[in-house]
Amino acid sequence: MKKIVIIGGSAAGPKCAAKAKRLNQENEIEMYTNENVISYSACGLPYYIEGIVDDIDKLLIRKPEEFEKQGVKVFLNHHASKIIPDKNTVIINEKEVLYDELIICTGATAFVPDSIKNAQIEGVYTLRRVQDGINIKNKMEQSKSVAIIGAGFIAIELIEAFVKNGIKVHLIESTSRLMRILDCEFSEMIMQHILENSSDLVDMHFNREVDKLHQNEDGHFYKLSTKCGLEIEADFCIIATGVRPNVTLAQEAGVKIGKTGAISVDKTMKTNYNNIWAAGDCVESNCLLTNRPIYMSLGNIANKQGRVAAINATLSPEVHENFDGILGSAITKYFNYKIATSGMTFETAVQIAQRFNLDPISTTITKKDKAGYMPESNPVTIKLVADKKTGRFLGAQCVGTGDVNKTISTMTSALQSKLTVEQFLHMDLPYAPPMSSTIDALLTAGYKLNSQIKEIQI
Amino acid sequence: MKKIVIIGGSAAGPKCAAKAKRLNQENEIEMYTNENVISYSACGLPYYIEGIVDDIDKLLIRKPEEFEKQGVKVFLNHHASKIIPDKNTVIINEKEVLYDELIICTGATAFVPDSIKNAQIEGVYTLRRVQDGINIKNKMEQSKSVAIIGAGFIAIELIEAFVKNGIKVHLIESTSRLMRILDCEFSEMIMQHILENSSDLVDMHFNREVDKLHQNEDGHFYKLSTKCGLEIEADFCIIATGVRPNVTLAQEAGVKIGKTGAISVDKTMKTNYNNIWAAGDCVESNCLLTNRPIYMSLGNIANKQGRVAAINATLSPEVHENFDGILGSAITKYFNYKIATSGMTFETAVQIAQRFNLDPISTTITKKDKAGYMPESNPVTIKLVADKKTGRFLGAQCVGTGDVNKTISTMTSALQSKLTVEQFLHMDLPYAPPMSSTIDALLTAGYKLNSQIKEIQI
């Protein structure tokens, strides 16, 4: 029997708690969160705002009562202020809580750049927690226009939500493009698609650094101004400029912080303390392609890490499970247009080529996802990146109204397996006219890339 | 410059012809077929009959004129009767045709069991060639009921086509189940789904061996009788009991025939003669899991083999490409219910366990394909088969209204890579609520299988 204390209740925390209890009913599990809800799908919030998810309760995956019933003690609105590793103690709401194993799942916080003046005024939101989603949806329902600062995943998902609700969107981005997680030409395709389909409701401004948010006499946001003097009026404003891991609690206790600014853990999800583990948006991951730390804040990673931390904090080492790392896979959509990536972009591969002794090569094709004569066939644009020296895949990007999810998931499997382009060439992907073209688009891309690697047109 | 003669014009033949010409414009390419059309999608015929493909012309991928324009000579309605390897000659329409390289793409023919008496009467069809599709569609439009003998892919696809058109279907199968390419319980799920959704139009009879087809006074089919005395009346009849490779031409010339009854080739698609190649439905493939020959007649395999045969018949050995083999991947659907497999079933694994020193283990789960709160989330049922000794995957099956294609394609990639369950466990499949659950259904299945392999509930 062990007493396992978990700090954090969003995704990794609840996963840890449920798993640790299931693995050994004798374990005493306590889960503390500084929020008033636990176990929610933050990634579902844009779809709640859009109206696809009709009830916020549906995003609350498991209620505190369910955990209590399972034998997990849940403490809402509890603030952990200090970990004292020597005493196996954490100070929560100013009381000492003893633990045998501590799992830190403190998550991340929406990041608001210091350079944006006046960011704390009314009518300005970030989207991270359940209450943020509720507030934004309420606000949207009384509004006609919104300014979104940032151009990543959350921005894309919120543009869809607002456009669906007839809200005029002004997007302001400090860099030159949308979705910098993809290569430049993919950013352009995405922009083009959004503007072609929603130009009446969407304006985009790039290379504009927001200087200040302005309030009216009621103290409410009504416009923003950029450093170059552009002024954009809107009924409310969302800052979607990424997140930062919550590491203060860990850092102050001497838990090692990695280069990315998130908690550093080994493959068992253990920190530099023997009985302190960490999982979810507060930790960095190992990049499976470079074996260097990278930081991504995603619900699926948090759940996997939570599982592994719970197993290893609970069971003996001979049945420990490893979390080897991630590829940087991500997917989203703008209505029926899907956007996905796994592994490195070509730009990244070129940047790190010298350091990692790579000779990056890439190819891009566009092809229908099903037999061309099937009425529901739709295009996918695929970019594959490989290392010419070893023939190994480095990454894949895919966009389009076709089956992007199948394409990128199949490539994820190939990347995870460290396949070479040649090994991949004639992969026996299943074929039927309503499901694929005779030569799957992914294989067509593979053929082209193989020709480039072999430097002969085959 | 080489003269390349291709016998066959359905799928592999045209692929060979186009590729060989593109690789070297100097090559003299002649393609002979005994049909009156070339380059067609036989797998699209059920969707033409159903009405999803509204014009038979759409299934004719490339017209003879297009090949002629490219510089490929096309000979329709030409019968190749004899190959004389010593003289690099093939007798076609009783004339001698010389070749430098010969590529045999003679395809396969619908198989009609000898045990079915009277199978040649009017109103009885097989589905293989373009004219078959046209004939069946015309017949269907004047009919109210059909008897289908057989219960494989074509049968499933034709049931969909007929049900969509309001035709009553009587299915008669000699074995105990549908889709024997899957494990027994999957056959049952498929049957249950079809009957639940179409019971007013579909009757199925298993373990019934058809004895005789009966003709009315006009000589037209009107009923069939089984050996056990069952009589089933229908307006027409389709025999969908598989295909047999067309190997007579090759066999008579001393081309080696493999154990499966199809032409035996090496990885370059070469037969036992140095300048005779073969590709498509007339050849057998190497099973990537057992390294034993298997025979599957599928358009995607034919196209891949055609490509490889063309490259190797045309180019010098240092740029030869290999076709290493297949996994036995296949997919189809009954309306929105998808059915897919890759690799071995558990039944097959058990059958061959001793011979291949396997300890087969399997797990089955059913889970939503997207976040449960997304309205469009649908279930997939996944069965994973692995070898407990090595931890390697042996096969996967998947059915459901959810994203079966993504699931099986991802697993195909894992099978092709010879991944172990442990290596697969935390695969970084991309996640977003409209695309996947936080822990993808495939990973949930992997976790469960891993627990079974480790013999501990994790």
Side-chain angles (χ1 to χ4, degrees), chain B residues 95-107:
Chain B
K95 286 184 189 151
E96 290 193 356
V97 177
L98 275 164
Y99 60 80
D100 295 316
E101 308 284 343
L102 178 69
I103 310 182
I104 302 173
C105 305
T106 42

Side-chain angles (χ1 to χ4, degrees), chain A residues 15 19 23 41-45 47 52-53 58-59 61 157 288 296 298-301 303-304 307-308 311 315 318-333 338-342 369 371 373-376 403 405-406 408-417 419 422-440 443 447 450-451 454 456-458, chain B residues 15 19 23 41-45 47 52-53 58-59 61 157 288 296 298-301 303-304 307-308 311 315 318-333 338-342 369 371 373-376 403 405-406 408-417 419 422-440 443 447 450-451 454 456-458:
Chain A
K15 186 76 187 178
K19 192 91 209 160
L23 290 172
S41 173
C43 7
L45 290 170
Y47 304 101
I52 290 176
V53 177
K58 292 189 180 169
L59 298 185
I61 310 302
E157 291 163 9
L288 290 171
M296 281 188 96
L298 282 168
N300 55 337
I301 300 173
N303 268 278
K304 289 172 191 168
R307 171 195 158 88
V308 172
I311 289 171
L315 302 179
E318 67 271 17
V319 290
H320 272 191
E321 207 167 280
N322 284 341
F323 183 77
D324 289 328
I326 63 174
L327 292 164
S329 307
I331 189 164
T332 191
K333 70 181 193 70
K338 279 82 69 182
I339 302 160
T341 178
S342 188
D369 63 341
Y373 53 78
M374 295 300 282
E376 72 271 39
D403 200 345
N405 197 9
K406 180 193 91 167
I408 208 75
S409 296
T410 305
M411 273 309 299
T412 297
S413 188
L415 281 162
Q416 194 107 10
S417 314
L419 273 198
E422 201 160 13
Q423 290 167 329
F424 178 84
L425 215 53
H426 300 297
M427 184 173 284
D428 190 16
L429 293 171
Y431 158 68
M435 251 69 86
S436 160
S437 47
T438 37
I439 300 292
D440 194 275
L443 300 184
Y447 291 155
N450 188 51
S451 287
K454 285 194 174 171
I456 174 170
Q457 187 51 49
I458 299 182
Chain B
K15 186 75 186 179
K19 192 91 211 162
L23 289 172
S41 173
C43 7
L45 291 170
Y47 303 101
I52 290 177
V53 177
K58 291 189 179 167
L59 298 187
I61 310 303
E157 290 163 10
L288 291 171
M296 280 189 96
L298 282 168
N300 55 337
I301 300 173
N303 268 277
K304 288 172 192 168
R307 169 195 161 89
V308 172
I311 289 170
L315 301 179
E318 67 271 19
V319 289
H320 272 191
E321 206 167 281
N322 284 340
F323 183 76
D324 290 327
I326 63 174
L327 292 163
S329 307
I331 190 165
T332 190
K333 71 180 192 71
K338 280 82 70 181
I339 302 161
T341 178
S342 188
D369 63 341
Y373 52 79
M374 296 299 282
E376 73 269 39
D403 200 344
N405 197 8
K406 180 194 91 168
I408 208 76
S409 297
T410 306
M411 272 310 299
T412 297
S413 188
L415 281 163
Q416 193 109 11
S417 315
L419 273 198
E422 200 159 14
Q423 288 167 330
F424 177 85
L425 214 53
H426 300 299
M427 182 172 284
D428 190 15
L429 293 171
Y431 158 68
M435 252 64 89
S436 159
S437 47
T438 37
I439 300 292
D440 193 278
L443 301 184
Y447 291 155
N450 189 51
S451 287
K454 286 193 174 172
I456 174 171
Q457 188 53 48
I458 297 182

Side-chain angles (χ1 to χ4, degrees), chain B residues 277-350:
Chain B
W277 315 77
D281 286 355
C282 60
V283 309
E284 60 185 24
S285 296
N286 176 50
C287 171
L288 291 171
L289 296 166
T290 63
N291 278 318
R292 292 291 188 283
I294 54 169
Y295 176 69
M296 280 189 96
S297 144
L298 282 168
N300 55 337
I301 300 173
N303 268 277
K304 288 172 192 168
Q305 292 176 336
R307 169 195 161 89
V308 172
I311 289 170
N312 298 338
T314 308
L315 301 179
S316 52
E318 67 271 19
V319 289
H320 272 191
E321 206 167 281
N322 284 340
F323 183 76
D324 290 327
I326 63 174
L327 292 163
S329 307
I331 190 165
T332 190
K333 71 180 192 71
Y334 184 72
F335 295 102
N336 67 344
Y337 187 84
K338 280 82 70 181
I339 302 161
T341 178
S342 188
M344 289 177 216
T345 59
F346 186 67
E347 289 167 21
T348 302
V350 168

